[in-house]
Amino acid sequence: MVVHAGAVAGADVFTNQREYPLRFGWGGEDLAVLARAGCVLVVVDVLRFSTAVSVAVARGARVWPYRWRDASARGFAVEHGAALAGSRDDPSSRWSLSPARLTAIPAGTRLVLTSPNGATLSARAQELGAAAVIAGCLRNAAAVGGWLAERISAGQAVAVIAAGERWPDPSGTPHLGPLRPAVEDLLGAGGIIARTVDAGGLPTSAVSPEARAAMAAFRAAVGDLPGELMASASGQELRARGWDDDVLCAAHADTDDVVPILRDGAYERSAAGS
């Protein structure tokens, strides 16, 4: 039997996984429920937003998420004294959403990074009053997992959100239709959940069934993350554009010792204990 959320008064009590300190969800719909539950939220958009944030922040940059790369984004970048990341195909753009290119970003760079998935979820999580908003991916899974384990030990609930992709809407406009689950985000979220469980020695009773399923997917794939990401639908799309290096960069688990936290609208390195 399928029960729609609107059919049950207070349906959030079933979908917010409230019995478990460590939770998992998909996209903006689950994010809204879990933000209202007062969770720390981890936004996972492996190909490529949260990986790009991890790489840039690990190198000392500060990153403002913004949904669309348009005239309003240019104004936003000017307002914040930041460079606007452009298209990787544009030779006039020094920086883009490419995590492989961002490995060369200088410390102190102020960057506006546009993404219809990860950036949109980041902004939405902050608007909804999440306890904290973190950008997570495979590259910083161990660092984020250790940070989350400390929060759980202190009594805070956390939720890892796989961004996924969006189908076009009925008019054909990209990124505005229903959610398309993306395997790279499932694996990224599962990696963060696994590292949190390991760092905190969490029992099964502390991890929701949804989070355990994501963790199981990661543990099954961890032996060949580059192969899994390359073969995924999103990986194939990037490879078709000649961006294999971005996919391989995203697959390097536990290489960025950084927890990017959203403060005053920008991702920056989390200080110990913050």
Side-chain angles (χ1 to χ4, degrees):
M1 179 179 69
V2 176
V3 179
H4 296 286
V8 180
D12 283 9
V13 302
F14 304 110
T15 55
N16 67 15
Q17 304 166 46
R18 63 179 179 173
E19 297 177 22
Y20 306 95
L22 182 52
R23 310 170 190 182
F24 168 74
W26 278 103
E29 294 81 0
D30 281 347
L31 179 145
V33 170
L34 293 165
R36 287 194 294 268
C39 293
V40 169
L41 294 184
V42 184
V43 174
V44 181
D45 184 0
V46 168
L47 295 176
R48 297 173 287 167
F49 175 78
S50 62
T51 300
V53 171
S54 178
V55 169
V57 171
R59 283 146 187 81
R62 194 167 185 222
V63 179
W64 279 261
Y66 201 81
R67 184 170 189 178
W68 302 118
R69 191 173 65 250
D70 56 13
S72 68
R74 288 189 287 273
F76 182 83
V78 170
E79 178 185 348
H80 289 85
L84 175 62
S87 168
R88 178 169 173 171
D89 294 323
D90 183 355
S92 68
S93 296
R94 185 177 185 188
W95 309 118
S96 72
L97 198 58
S98 166
R101 297 284 178 87
L102 289 170
T103 57
I105 197 167
T109 301
R110 298 163 67 91
L111 182 67
V112 173
L113 202 58
T114 60
S115 161
N117 295 311
T120 300
L121 294 181
S122 299
R124 184 62 175 148
Q126 193 165 57
E127 290 169 2
L128 290 170
V133 184
I134 304 297
C137 60
L138 289 164
R139 289 184 64 97
N140 66 3
V144 171
W147 191 91
L148 293 177
E150 292 177 359
R151 300 303 167 291
I152 291 172
S153 177
Q156 175 69 61
V158 303
V160 184
I161 303 294
E165 301 288 343
R166 290 279 171 181
W167 292 104
D169 70 4
S171 72
T173 304
H175 310 301
L176 294 180
L179 175 75
R180 176 176 70 79
V183 68
E184 68 274 8
D185 294 341
L186 176 65
L187 297 179
I192 291 166
I193 292 164
R195 299 304 188 235
T196 304
V197 168
D198 294 345
L202 300 181
T204 299
S205 59
V207 187
S208 75
E210 292 81 0
R212 292 199 299 270
M215 178 171 62
F218 169 77
R219 294 203 190 280
V222 69
D224 187 19
L225 290 171
E228 294 289 347
L229 263 61
M230 283 285 196
S232 70
S234 300
Q236 291 185 57
E237 180 180 357
L238 292 174
R239 291 171 62 196
R241 303 184 70 172
W243 299 347
D244 302 54
D245 55 346
D246 279 347
V247 183
L248 291 173
C249 183
H252 290 166
D254 304 330
T255 55
D256 290 340
D257 186 18
V258 64
V259 180
I261 188 167
L262 196 60
R263 288 200 183 96
D264 298 324
Y267 279 111
E268 59 185 41
R269 182 186 289 268
S270 172
S274 66

mmCIF file with all atom_site columns, all heavy atoms in Angstrom, residues 129-146:
data_model
loop_
_atom_site.group_PDB
_atom_site.id
_atom_site.type_symbol
_atom_site.label_atom_id
_atom_site.label_alt_id
_atom_site.label_comp_id
_atom_site.label_asym_id
_atom_site.label_entity_id
_atom_site.label_seq_id
_atom_site.pdbx_PDB_ins_code
_atom_site.Cartn_x
_atom_site.Cartn_y
_atom_site.Cartn_z
_atom_site.occupancy
_atom_site.B_iso_or_equiv
_atom_site.pdbx_formal_charge
_atom_site.auth_seq_id
_atom_site.auth_comp_id
_atom_site.auth_asym_id
_atom_site.auth_atom_id
_atom_site.pdbx_PDB_model_num
ATOM 1   N N   . GLY A 1 129 ? 16.696 26.517 8.567  1.00 0.00 ? 129 GLY A N   1
ATOM 2   C CA  . GLY A 1 129 ? 17.183 26.541 9.938  1.00 0.00 ? 129 GLY A CA  1
ATOM 3   C C   . GLY A 1 129 ? 17.840 25.267 10.402 1.00 0.00 ? 129 GLY A C   1
ATOM 4   O O   . GLY A 1 129 ? 17.762 24.927 11.598 1.00 0.00 ? 129 GLY A O   1
ATOM 5   N N   . ALA A 1 130 ? 18.508 24.539 9.499  1.00 0.00 ? 130 ALA A N   1
ATOM 6   C CA  . ALA A 1 130 ? 19.255 23.353 9.912  1.00 0.00 ? 130 ALA A CA  1
ATOM 7   C C   . ALA A 1 130 ? 20.270 23.733 10.983 1.00 0.00 ? 130 ALA A C   1
ATOM 8   O O   . ALA A 1 130 ? 20.812 24.847 10.999 1.00 0.00 ? 130 ALA A O   1
ATOM 9   C CB  . ALA A 1 130 ? 19.968 22.737 8.715  1.00 0.00 ? 130 ALA A CB  1
ATOM 10  N N   . ALA A 1 131 ? 20.537 22.805 11.888 1.00 0.00 ? 131 ALA A N   1
ATOM 11  C CA  . ALA A 1 131 ? 21.476 23.080 12.977 1.00 0.00 ? 131 ALA A CA  1
ATOM 12  C C   . ALA A 1 131 ? 22.854 23.464 12.456 1.00 0.00 ? 131 ALA A C   1
ATOM 13  O O   . ALA A 1 131 ? 23.557 24.283 13.048 1.00 0.00 ? 131 ALA A O   1
ATOM 14  C CB  . ALA A 1 131 ? 21.573 21.857 13.892 1.00 0.00 ? 131 ALA A CB  1
ATOM 15  N N   . ALA A 1 132 ? 23.257 22.857 11.355 1.00 0.00 ? 132 ALA A N   1
ATOM 16  C CA  . ALA A 1 132 ? 24.491 23.204 10.634 1.00 0.00 ? 132 ALA A CA  1
ATOM 17  C C   . ALA A 1 132 ? 24.367 22.575 9.259  1.00 0.00 ? 132 ALA A C   1
ATOM 18  O O   . ALA A 1 132 ? 23.631 21.593 9.074  1.00 0.00 ? 132 ALA A O   1
ATOM 19  C CB  . ALA A 1 132 ? 25.731 22.704 11.358 1.00 0.00 ? 132 ALA A CB  1
ATOM 20  N N   . VAL A 1 133 ? 25.094 23.129 8.284  1.00 0.00 ? 133 VAL A N   1
ATOM 21  C CA  . VAL A 1 133 ? 25.081 22.595 6.915  1.00 0.00 ? 133 VAL A CA  1
ATOM 22  C C   . VAL A 1 133 ? 26.521 22.328 6.505  1.00 0.00 ? 133 VAL A C   1
ATOM 23  O O   . VAL A 1 133 ? 27.370 23.221 6.559  1.00 0.00 ? 133 VAL A O   1
ATOM 24  C CB  . VAL A 1 133 ? 24.425 23.572 5.925  1.00 0.00 ? 133 VAL A CB  1
ATOM 25  C CG1 . VAL A 1 133 ? 24.345 22.944 4.537  1.00 0.00 ? 133 VAL A CG1 1
ATOM 26  C CG2 . VAL A 1 133 ? 23.038 23.987 6.401  1.00 0.00 ? 133 VAL A CG2 1
ATOM 27  N N   . ILE A 1 134 ? 26.776 21.093 6.094  1.00 0.00 ? 134 ILE A N   1
ATOM 28  C CA  . ILE A 1 134 ? 28.115 20.628 5.730  1.00 0.00 ? 134 ILE A CA  1
ATOM 29  C C   . ILE A 1 134 ? 28.088 20.145 4.280  1.00 0.00 ? 134 ILE A C   1
ATOM 30  O O   . ILE A 1 134 ? 27.103 19.558 3.837  1.00 0.00 ? 134 ILE A O   1
ATOM 31  C CB  . ILE A 1 134 ? 28.558 19.461 6.648  1.00 0.00 ? 134 ILE A CB  1
ATOM 32  C CG1 . ILE A 1 134 ? 28.498 19.868 8.122  1.00 0.00 ? 134 ILE A CG1 1
ATOM 33  C CG2 . ILE A 1 134 ? 29.945 18.951 6.273  1.00 0.00 ? 134 ILE A CG2 1
ATOM 34  C CD1 . ILE A 1 134 ? 29.423 20.993 8.496  1.00 0.00 ? 134 ILE A CD1 1
ATOM 35  N N   . ALA A 1 135 ? 29.169 20.387 3.545  1.00 0.00 ? 135 ALA A N   1
ATOM 36  C CA  . ALA A 1 135 ? 29.320 19.819 2.201  1.00 0.00 ? 135 ALA A CA  1
ATOM 37  C C   . ALA A 1 135 ? 30.160 18.549 2.313  1.00 0.00 ? 135 ALA A C   1
ATOM 38  O O   . ALA A 1 135 ? 31.315 18.595 2.747  1.00 0.00 ? 135 ALA A O   1
ATOM 39  C CB  . ALA A 1 135 ? 29.987 20.817 1.255  1.00 0.00 ? 135 ALA A CB  1
ATOM 40  N N   . GLY A 1 136 ? 29.564 17.417 1.937  1.00 0.00 ? 136 GLY A N   1
ATOM 41  C CA  . GLY A 1 136 ? 30.250 16.142 2.070  1.00 0.00 ? 136 GLY A CA  1
ATOM 42  C C   . GLY A 1 136 ? 30.385 15.417 0.745  1.00 0.00 ? 136 GLY A C   1
ATOM 43  O O   . GLY A 1 136 ? 29.578 15.605 -0.171 1.00 0.00 ? 136 GLY A O   1
ATOM 44  N N   . CYS A 1 137 ? 31.392 14.573 0.650  1.00 0.00 ? 137 CYS A N   1
ATOM 45  C CA  . CYS A 1 137 ? 31.638 13.803 -0.573 1.00 0.00 ? 137 CYS A CA  1
ATOM 46  C C   . CYS A 1 137 ? 32.538 12.629 -0.220 1.00 0.00 ? 137 CYS A C   1
ATOM 47  O O   . CYS A 1 137 ? 32.860 12.415 0.955  1.00 0.00 ? 137 CYS A O   1
ATOM 48  C CB  . CYS A 1 137 ? 32.279 14.683 -1.647 1.00 0.00 ? 137 CYS A CB  1
ATOM 49  S SG  . CYS A 1 137 ? 33.869 15.407 -1.168 1.00 0.00 ? 137 CYS A SG  1
ATOM 50  N N   . LEU A 1 138 ? 32.948 11.877 -1.199 1.00 0.00 ? 138 LEU A N   1
ATOM 51  C CA  . LEU A 1 138 ? 33.866 10.775 -0.932 1.00 0.00 ? 138 LEU A CA  1
ATOM 52  C C   . LEU A 1 138 ? 35.226 11.292 -0.456 1.00 0.00 ? 138 LEU A C   1
ATOM 53  O O   . LEU A 1 138 ? 35.846 10.699 0.429  1.00 0.00 ? 138 LEU A O   1
ATOM 54  C CB  . LEU A 1 138 ? 34.035 9.919  -2.187 1.00 0.00 ? 138 LEU A CB  1
ATOM 55  C CG  . LEU A 1 138 ? 32.822 9.070  -2.567 1.00 0.00 ? 138 LEU A CG  1
ATOM 56  C CD1 . LEU A 1 138 ? 32.938 8.571  -4.009 1.00 0.00 ? 138 LEU A CD1 1
ATOM 57  C CD2 . LEU A 1 138 ? 32.662 7.888  -1.611 1.00 0.00 ? 138 LEU A CD2 1
ATOM 58  N N   . ARG A 1 139 ? 35.688 12.395 -1.033 1.00 0.00 ? 139 ARG A N   1
ATOM 59  C CA  . ARG A 1 139 ? 37.018 12.894 -0.720 1.00 0.00 ? 139 ARG A CA  1
ATOM 60  C C   . ARG A 1 139 ? 37.171 13.293 0.749  1.00 0.00 ? 139 ARG A C   1
ATOM 61  O O   . ARG A 1 139 ? 38.254 13.148 1.327  1.00 0.00 ? 139 ARG A O   1
ATOM 62  C CB  . ARG A 1 139 ? 37.363 14.089 -1.607 1.00 0.00 ? 139 ARG A CB  1
ATOM 63  C CG  . ARG A 1 139 ? 37.621 13.744 -3.053 1.00 0.00 ? 139 ARG A CG  1
ATOM 64  C CD  . ARG A 1 139 ? 38.043 14.980 -3.838 1.00 0.00 ? 139 ARG A CD  1
ATOM 65  N NE  . ARG A 1 139 ? 39.298 15.513 -3.359 1.00 0.00 ? 139 ARG A NE  1
ATOM 66  C CZ  . ARG A 1 139 ? 40.501 15.263 -3.906 1.00 0.00 ? 139 ARG A CZ  1
ATOM 67  N NH1 . ARG A 1 139 ? 40.578 14.465 -4.978 1.00 0.00 ? 139 ARG A NH1 1
ATOM 68  N NH2 . ARG A 1 139 ? 41.601 15.787 -3.412 1.00 0.00 ? 139 ARG A NH2 1
ATOM 69  N N   . ASN A 1 140 ? 36.112 13.808 1.360  1.00 0.00 ? 140 ASN A N   1
ATOM 70  C CA  . ASN A 1 140 ? 36.246 14.232 2.766  1.00 0.00 ? 140 ASN A CA  1
ATOM 71  C C   . ASN A 1 140 ? 35.411 13.369 3.704  1.00 0.00 ? 140 ASN A C   1
ATOM 72  O O   . ASN A 1 140 ? 35.080 13.789 4.812  1.00 0.00 ? 140 ASN A O   1
ATOM 73  C CB  . ASN A 1 140 ? 35.900 15.712 2.933  1.00 0.00 ? 140 ASN A CB  1
ATOM 74  C CG  . ASN A 1 140 ? 34.443 16.040 2.651  1.00 0.00 ? 140 ASN A CG  1
ATOM 75  O OD1 . ASN A 1 140 ? 33.634 15.160 2.377  1.00 0.00 ? 140 ASN A OD1 1
ATOM 76  N ND2 . ASN A 1 140 ? 34.101 17.318 2.719  1.00 0.00 ? 140 ASN A ND2 1
ATOM 77  N N   . ALA A 1 141 ? 35.075 12.151 3.260  1.00 0.00 ? 141 ALA A N   1
ATOM 78  C CA  . ALA A 1 141 ? 34.186 11.290 4.043  1.00 0.00 ? 141 ALA A CA  1
ATOM 79  C C   . ALA A 1 141 ? 34.732 11.028 5.450  1.00 0.00 ? 141 ALA A C   1
ATOM 80  O O   . ALA A 1 141 ? 33.980 11.079 6.440  1.00 0.00 ? 141 ALA A O   1
ATOM 81  C CB  . ALA A 1 141 ? 33.941 9.972  3.316  1.00 0.00 ? 141 ALA A CB  1
ATOM 82  N N   . ALA A 1 142 ? 36.027 10.741 5.578  1.00 0.00 ? 142 ALA A N   1
ATOM 83  C CA  . ALA A 1 142 ? 36.589 10.438 6.899  1.00 0.00 ? 142 ALA A CA  1
ATOM 84  C C   . ALA A 1 142 ? 36.564 11.666 7.806  1.00 0.00 ? 142 ALA A C   1
ATOM 85  O O   . ALA A 1 142 ? 36.221 11.574 8.988  1.00 0.00 ? 142 ALA A O   1
ATOM 86  C CB  . ALA A 1 142 ? 38.011 9.902  6.755  1.00 0.00 ? 142 ALA A CB  1
ATOM 87  N N   . ALA A 1 143 ? 36.924 12.826 7.257  1.00 0.00 ? 143 ALA A N   1
ATOM 88  C CA  . ALA A 1 143 ? 36.927 14.050 8.063  1.00 0.00 ? 143 ALA A CA  1
ATOM 89  C C   . ALA A 1 143 ? 35.522 14.403 8.517  1.00 0.00 ? 143 ALA A C   1
ATOM 90  O O   . ALA A 1 143 ? 35.285 14.712 9.694  1.00 0.00 ? 143 ALA A O   1
ATOM 91  C CB  . ALA A 1 143 ? 37.537 15.202 7.255  1.00 0.00 ? 143 ALA A CB  1
ATOM 92  N N   . VAL A 1 144 ? 34.570 14.354 7.592  1.00 0.00 ? 144 VAL A N   1
ATOM 93  C CA  . VAL A 1 144 ? 33.184 14.671 7.940  1.00 0.00 ? 144 VAL A CA  1
ATOM 94  C C   . VAL A 1 144 ? 32.629 13.617 8.895  1.00 0.00 ? 144 VAL A C   1
ATOM 95  O O   . VAL A 1 144 ? 31.931 13.952 9.871  1.00 0.00 ? 144 VAL A O   1
ATOM 96  C CB  . VAL A 1 144 ? 32.317 14.785 6.675  1.00 0.00 ? 144 VAL A CB  1
ATOM 97  C CG1 . VAL A 1 144 ? 30.838 14.906 7.030  1.00 0.00 ? 144 VAL A CG1 1
ATOM 98  C CG2 . VAL A 1 144 ? 32.753 15.994 5.846  1.00 0.00 ? 144 VAL A CG2 1
ATOM 99  N N   . GLY A 1 145 ? 32.941 12.356 8.658  1.00 0.00 ? 145 GLY A N   1
ATOM 100 C CA  . GLY A 1 145 ? 32.458 11.294 9.533  1.00 0.00 ? 145 GLY A CA  1
ATOM 101 C C   . GLY A 1 145 ? 32.941 11.457 10.964 1.00 0.00 ? 145 GLY A C   1
ATOM 102 O O   . GLY A 1 145 ? 32.173 11.286 11.916 1.00 0.00 ? 145 GLY A O   1
ATOM 103 N N   . GLY A 1 146 ? 34.207 11.816 11.140 1.00 0.00 ? 146 GLY A N   1
ATOM 104 C CA  . GLY A 1 146 ? 34.718 12.047 12.487 1.00 0.00 ? 146 GLY A CA  1
ATOM 105 C C   . GLY A 1 146 ? 34.029 13.222 13.166 1.00 0.00 ? 146 GLY A C   1
ATOM 106 O O   . GLY A 1 146 ? 33.699 13.166 14.358 1.00 0.00 ? 146 GLY A O   1
#
